[in-house]
């Protein structure tokens, strides 16, 4: 028995690698006994065989072959673990709200508009992009300001309209103003839409983080 193991696990060191590669194909394709755990257990079995061969190579002093076998053994499991990690991250992205103390700085950061502090939040939602592999999300925000603050808001917008800004520019409409962001390096990662409705005293921000 020892001679057989020595022959096929040490001398013919490439055989465990071959069978491990075949087991990976069987596991991925699921062509033999589909809808069962055959491919999974085959992968574990030949993974164990390759591990034994690797340890034996180190024991016999064949360090280079052992390291090569170890790299073949570890790589697919690292890839599988990374995919599981990404999938778990996709499932663990609860929606939330933008913190109240972040609303004023965010609007000022994007448009240079300083909004009044006494506002009412009508809508506040951070929604993570479904199926995204990273932290892509969108913000939907609607606030209502007091009628007494409108003059200050409009004056800021009109003054900003006369200045050049690399963030964007204000456009006047019948219902109020829209801030049209420039498609440059500043806004490319977070394109957004911002509107000031002077008829209903509302501001609306829709932002996407890519």
């Amino acid at each position: 028995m020892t001679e057989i193991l020595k022959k096929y696990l040490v001398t013919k060191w490439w055989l465990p690698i071959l069978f491990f590669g075949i087991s990976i194909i069987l596991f991925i394709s699921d062509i033999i006994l589909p809808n069962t755990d055959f491919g999974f257990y085959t992968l574990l079995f030949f993974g164990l065989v390759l591990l034994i061969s690797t340890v034996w190579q180190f024991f016999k002093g064949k360090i280079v072959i052992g390291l090569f076998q170890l790299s073949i053994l570890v790589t697919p499991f690292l890839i599988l673990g990374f995919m599981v990690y990404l999938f778990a991250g996709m499932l663990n992205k609860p929606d939330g709200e933008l913190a109240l103390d972040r609303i004023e700085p965010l609007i000022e950061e994007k448009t240079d508009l300083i909004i009044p502090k006494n506002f009412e939040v009508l809508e506040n939602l951070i929604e993570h992009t479904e199926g995204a592999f990273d932290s892509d999300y969108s913000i939907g925000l609607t606030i209502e300001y007091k009628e007494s603050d409108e003059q200050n808001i409009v004056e800021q917008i009109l003054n900003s309209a006369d200045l050049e800004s690399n963030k964007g520019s204000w456009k006047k409409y019948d219902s109020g103003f829209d801030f049209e962001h420039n498609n440059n390096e500043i806004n490319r990662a977070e394109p957004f839409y911002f509107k000031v409705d002077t008829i209903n005293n509302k501001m609306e921000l829709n932002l996407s983080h890519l």
Side-chain angles (χ1 to χ4, degrees), residues 122-175:
L122 303 180
E123 179 186 10
N124 183 3
L125 175 64
I126 298 178
E127 187 175 12
H128 287 274
T129 305
E130 184 177 356
F133 285 98
D134 52 14
S135 57
D136 292 352
Y137 60 86
S138 59
I139 295 176
L141 178 68
T142 303
I143 63 175
E144 184 177 9
Y145 59 87
K146 296 183 180 300
E147 178 70 31
S148 57
D149 292 318
E150 183 166 301
Q151 182 178 351
N152 174 262
I153 293 171
V154 173
E155 286 180 354
Q156 288 188 69
I157 294 174
L158 294 178
N159 291 333
S160 297
D162 297 330
L163 302 175
E164 292 186 2
S165 173
N166 54 6
K167 296 180 179 180
S169 59
W170 290 98
K171 302 296 181 182
K172 177 72 172 70
Y173 294 95
D174 293 338
S175 60

Side-chain angles (χ1 to χ4, degrees), residues 154-206:
V154 173
E155 286 180 354
Q156 288 188 69
I157 294 174
L158 294 178
N159 291 333
S160 297
D162 297 330
L163 302 175
E164 292 186 2
S165 173
N166 54 6
K167 296 180 179 180
S169 59
W170 290 98
K171 302 296 181 182
K172 177 72 172 70
Y173 294 95
D174 293 338
S175 60
F177 301 89
D178 286 358
F179 188 84
E180 298 182 357
H181 70 271
N182 291 334
N183 186 23
N184 53 20
E185 192 66 29
I186 296 177
N187 299 314
R188 195 164 293 128
E190 290 184 340
F192 67 94
Y193 165 81
F194 185 73
K195 176 183 179 64
V196 177
D197 184 346
T198 55
I199 296 178
N200 298 300
N201 306 125
K202 294 179 181 179
M203 297 180 183
E204 181 180 342
L205 171 67
N206 292 294

Side-chain angles (χ1 to χ4, degrees), residues 31-46:
I31 58 176
I32 298 180
L33 299 178
N35 302 319
T36 68
D37 295 327
F38 176 78
F40 175 72
Y41 289 119
T42 301
L43 178 64
L44 289 183
F45 175 75
F46 285 109

Side-chain angles (χ1 to χ4, degrees), residues 47-162:
L48 179 61
V49 171
L50 182 56
L51 177 62
I52 294 173
S53 178
T54 301
V55 173
W56 207 325
Q57 296 296 341
F58 285 131
F59 181 75
K60 292 296 183 179
K62 298 182 179 181
I63 306 300
V64 175
I65 295 177
L67 290 174
F68 179 68
Q69 287 183 321
L70 183 62
S71 64
I72 297 296
L73 176 63
V74 169
T75 299
F77 288 106
L78 288 177
I79 295 175
L80 181 62
F82 182 66
M83 293 176 63
V84 171
Y85 171 77
L86 289 179
F87 183 73
M90 290 168 58
L91 297 179
N92 189 28
K93 289 183 178 179
D95 296 335
E97 294 184 346
L98 184 67
L100 292 180
D101 59 356
R102 281 288 299 137
I103 293 177
E104 298 172 57
L106 179 60
I107 293 177
E108 183 177 359
E109 174 190 344
K110 296 300 180 182
T111 67
D112 291 328
L113 178 65
I114 301 175
I115 65 174
K117 296 185 179 299
N118 297 323
F119 59 82
E120 179 182 355
V121 178
L122 303 180
E123 179 186 10
N124 183 3
L125 175 64
I126 298 178
E127 187 175 12
H128 287 274
T129 305
E130 184 177 356
F133 285 98
D134 52 14
S135 57
D136 292 352
Y137 60 86
S138 59
I139 295 176
L141 178 68
T142 303
I143 63 175
E144 184 177 9
Y145 59 87
K146 296 183 180 300
E147 178 70 31
S148 57
D149 292 318
E150 183 166 301
Q151 182 178 351
N152 174 262
I153 293 171
V154 173
E155 286 180 354
Q156 288 188 69
I157 294 174
L158 294 178
N159 291 333
S160 297
D162 297 330

